[in-house]
Amino acid sequence: ETGVTQSPTHLIKTRGQQVTLRCSSQSGHNTVSWYQQALGQGPQFIFQYYREEENGRGNFPPRFSGLQFPNYSSELNVNALELDDSALYLCASSPQGRGVSYNEQFFGPGTRLTVL
Amino acid sequence: DAKTTQPTSMDCAEGRAANLPCNHSTISGNEYVYWYRQIHSQGPQYIIHGLKNNETNEMASLIITEDRKSSTLILPHATLRDTAVYYCIVRVANTGNQFYFGTGTSLTVIP
């Protein structure tokens, strides 16, 4: 069983650029969540995708967008990068989506984004 | 919106039990308590979860008070590899399985 993988591991961009981060969910998982973790802080929920549709969003501006593909892998896109977007971006997958009272999330290793 | 309060940091001697408290006084009846830990900027790792009853697995025990307003994660025999940031999370009802993390407790296991 393959765990959650993310690419790239590290990324350096300049302010105003756009970035795409990728996540492959664990086998059999149809739900993917994305989190932003600034240095010294806990992960902050960005949004979640369930069967290719957005299933909840945290307090992030529209320049943060995402996609989920038929194989349940996912992308996080950030436009017009700002210095404060520098963070560890975490992807987590889980086996079920709506209407489930309990669900463990399996996290990937993250992508470290630095915006200069 | 984090619904939990945890101490910022704790120390524990190697081989002793580590008891990590968490306050979740506004928890609702159908909301689970989860514990995750994060070692040096790796992805968070699931430890344990519970609703009302105490739970135990190969990693830890979770003690939830009868009123469910607080809980304690117990690592029975802490090792140096247990040094990490531990997050207590209450999953908000009606939001699928989205987690709202707080700032966690930084546990240092001392030789």
Side-chain angles (χ1 to χ4, degrees):
Chain A
E1 185 177 273
T2 306
V4 178
T5 61
Q6 293 186 243
S7 63
T9 306
H10 296 86
L11 199 55
I12 298 175
K13 291 285 189 178
T14 56
R15 193 170 47 183
Q17 285 188 310
Q18 178 267 342
V19 68
T20 297
L21 309 181
R22 295 177 175 82
C23 171
S24 292
S25 59
Q26 188 163 319
S27 177
H29 290 187
N30 58 16
T31 301
V32 172
S33 302
W34 285 92
Y35 294 83
Q36 180 195 66
Q37 186 173 25
L39 199 61
Q41 303 295 317
Q44 299 297 307
F45 173 72
I46 302 175
F47 45 56
Q48 180 183 88
Y49 280 84
Y50 169 63
R51 293 186 174 179
E52 303 179 58
E53 293 186 0
E54 188 176 288
N55 181 39
R57 188 180 183 93
N59 188 28
F60 280 81
R63 59 189 185 85
F64 285 78
S65 63
L67 281 174
Q68 188 179 32
F69 300 98
N71 66 354
Y72 303 132
S73 65
S74 178
E75 287 182 354
L76 165 65
N77 299 290
V78 186
N79 294 322
L81 283 168
E82 301 177 359
L83 298 179
D84 286 347
D85 295 333
S86 294
L88 180 69
Y89 287 84
L90 295 161
C91 166
S93 73
S94 49
Q96 296 181 22
R98 299 187 183 94
V100 180
S101 61
Y102 145 67
N103 220 331
E104 176 186 342
Q105 292 195 358
F106 296 81
F107 283 82
T111 293
R112 173 74 61 187
L113 173 64
T114 301
V115 181
L116 302 176
Chain B
D1 296 327
K3 297 177 62 176
T4 62
T5 304
Q6 300 176 253
T8 302
S9 63
M10 293 181 63
D11 293 338
C12 177
E14 187 178 16
R16 305 296 293 270
N19 297 282
L20 291 88
C22 179
N23 184 297
H24 33 79
S25 58
T26 60
I27 194 170
S28 299
N30 62 343
E31 293 178 334
Y32 282 79
V33 178
Y34 297 80
W35 284 83
Y36 277 74
R37 73 180 182 184
Q38 189 173 28
I39 299 173
H40 194 51
S41 291
Q42 297 176 17
Q45 176 192 22
Y46 169 80
I47 301 173
I48 200 168
H49 76 281
L51 182 62
K52 296 180 181 178
N53 301 319
N54 298 337
E55 303 289 344
T56 296
N57 62 20
E58 64 278 5
M59 289 183 67
S61 295
L62 174 60
I63 309 298
I64 302 175
T65 58
E66 191 170 344
D67 63 8
R68 302 211 325 125
K69 292 185 177 182
S70 65
S71 61
T72 301
L73 177 74
I74 301 173
L75 308 178
H77 306 287
T79 71
L80 299 180
R81 287 177 295 180
D82 291 324
T83 292
V85 177
Y86 288 76
Y87 294 100
C88 170
I89 303 160
V90 170
R91 185 176 70 78
V92 179
N94 301 321
T95 59
N97 58 337
Q98 300 145 12
F99 290 156
Y100 290 85
F101 289 76
T103 53
T105 296
S106 178
L107 174 69
T108 301
V109 180
I110 303 170

